[in-house]
Amino acid sequence: FERFALCVGSICKQWRAPPDRTLISWYAPSNELADKVQTLLADMKKVLESGSPFLAYAEGPARAVRCEVVAVCHNQSLSSTEHIQRLLELVPELDTSWVLFSEEDGLWHPGRTAFFRNFARQVPGPSECLALIAPVMARPSSAESASSGVQPMKQAIEVNRELQRGPDARAAVAEERSDLVQVCIRRQLLEDYLSASRGAQEGAQQSSGREKNQSHDLEEKQKCQWPQGLLRFVKRETGPRCREVAFSQFKEITP
């Protein structure tokens, strides 16, 4: 719960407008935990939905955004794919609908929403661009930095400060494309992936009583894995329609 609370706090502290609509699908195994989550989400709604609209863009035509928080509570545990499927129904079926992802313990950089929103409004239509990807990740610089005995970094700005410390930093930037938080995709692409995943699951069930082709079974299982299945789908299906975006905009100047 503590890490989820930090994630919620990082969404509320975006430099510009947070996502137009923040969608959360959740389940709590106990009444005590459910009460804590409901209180946290009620506070989140107050922060993001009360008061004046957020200014979405710093440059170009100004746009005021009224943010919305929609939380869906379930009475049983669901897989990650099932959670995403429930939330997809709440995303408007428009070419201008883009989706960002987050794990419950993920820290959002304060410029994350503005970063992807800025690029999403500049790219051409779906026939030419289906996905955006930031091709770098900040990770612990060593096993010792990630060990349980080391105080975790609780704010994205702490990661930035570590990156500026040089060789002694506890975090380092690597050029990779391996995490779902690095992508922003159109709604249609997510819907296509979920449809393909369901088809792969049904195909696996139908073949369970027949002689199995091991390589085919492995391929079908990989399609269903979350989040790596979606990452592979994005890379395979988008090709040149996946645009890399400049990670330098993530950098923050600190005194």
Side-chain angles (χ1 to χ4, degrees):
F1 174 79
E2 289 73 17
R3 289 187 178 275
F4 177 54
L6 290 172
C7 175
V8 167
S10 68
I11 296 174
C12 292
K13 294 177 181 177
Q14 295 292 284
W15 284 331
R16 295 283 166 186
D20 296 23
R21 179 176 293 182
T22 300
L23 305 175
I24 301 171
S25 178
W26 66 281
Y27 161 75
S30 69
N31 291 335
E32 179 183 3
L33 181 57
D35 289 343
K36 292 171 68 176
V37 173
Q38 287 173 340
T39 299
L40 176 66
L41 295 179
D43 291 341
M44 184 185 194
K45 285 180 70 72
K46 289 179 183 178
V47 171
L48 297 186
E49 295 184 359
S50 301
S52 302
F54 292 86
L55 179 63
Y57 304 139
E59 300 177 357
R63 177 188 170 197
V65 174
R66 282 283 186 187
C67 296
E68 180 183 10
V69 177
V70 180
V72 181
C73 177
H74 304 281
N75 57 13
Q76 62 181 354
S77 179
L78 301 177
S79 68
S80 296
T81 303
E82 290 173 321
H83 280 292
I84 295 297
Q85 181 66 62
R86 301 296 198 281
L87 296 180
L88 178 66
E89 301 168 3
L90 304 174
V91 181
E93 296 185 30
L94 301 171
D95 287 344
T96 53
S97 290
W98 291 81
V99 180
L100 288 171
F101 300 91
S102 179
E103 295 292 341
E104 69 275 8
D105 60 351
L107 276 180
W108 288 41
H109 187 283
R112 184 187 185 203
T113 308
F115 174 81
F116 280 111
R117 182 186 275 122
N118 181 55
F119 281 104
R121 72 183 178 123
Q122 297 181 58
V123 297
S127 62
E128 297 183 53
C129 182
L130 287 172
L132 303 172
I133 183 167
V136 296
M137 280 288 291
R139 296 191 181 279
S141 56
S142 66
E144 291 74 17
S145 299
S147 66
S148 58
V150 176
Q151 182 69 23
M153 289 176 275
K154 297 183 178 181
Q155 301 289 339
I157 194 170
E158 294 181 54
V159 180
N160 277 7
R161 288 171 178 165
E162 282 295 322
L163 294 176
Q164 295 172 17
R165 290 182 56 206
D168 297 327
R170 289 193 291 148
V173 170
E175 184 171 346
E176 58 181 79
R177 300 158 186 80
S178 60
D179 200 293
L180 206 53
V181 301
Q182 294 175 267
V183 302
C184 179
I185 66 175
R186 292 189 191 270
R187 182 198 188 279
Q188 184 59 53
L189 186 62
L190 177 58
E191 183 176 353
D192 291 346
Y193 164 74
L194 292 172
S195 178
S197 179
R198 286 194 300 272
Q201 289 176 330
E202 292 170 0
Q205 291 172 357
Q206 292 173 1
S207 66
S208 61
R210 302 194 298 268
E211 183 177 350
K212 295 184 177 180
N213 181 312
Q214 292 185 350
S215 61
H216 177 267
D217 288 346
L218 178 60
E219 182 180 350
E220 294 301 296
K221 288 180 181 179
Q222 289 177 339
K223 291 179 182 178
C224 304
Q225 291 175 346
W226 183 271
Q228 296 304 318
L230 176 56
L231 281 172
R232 279 190 289 268
F233 185 84
V234 169
K235 295 173 183 177
R236 183 176 70 250
E237 297 299 322
T238 59
R241 290 190 291 173
C242 181
R243 302 288 180 94
E244 288 194 353
V245 289
F247 68 89
S248 60
Q249 290 196 17
F250 270 124
K251 295 181 179 178
E252 177 190 4
I253 299 175
T254 57

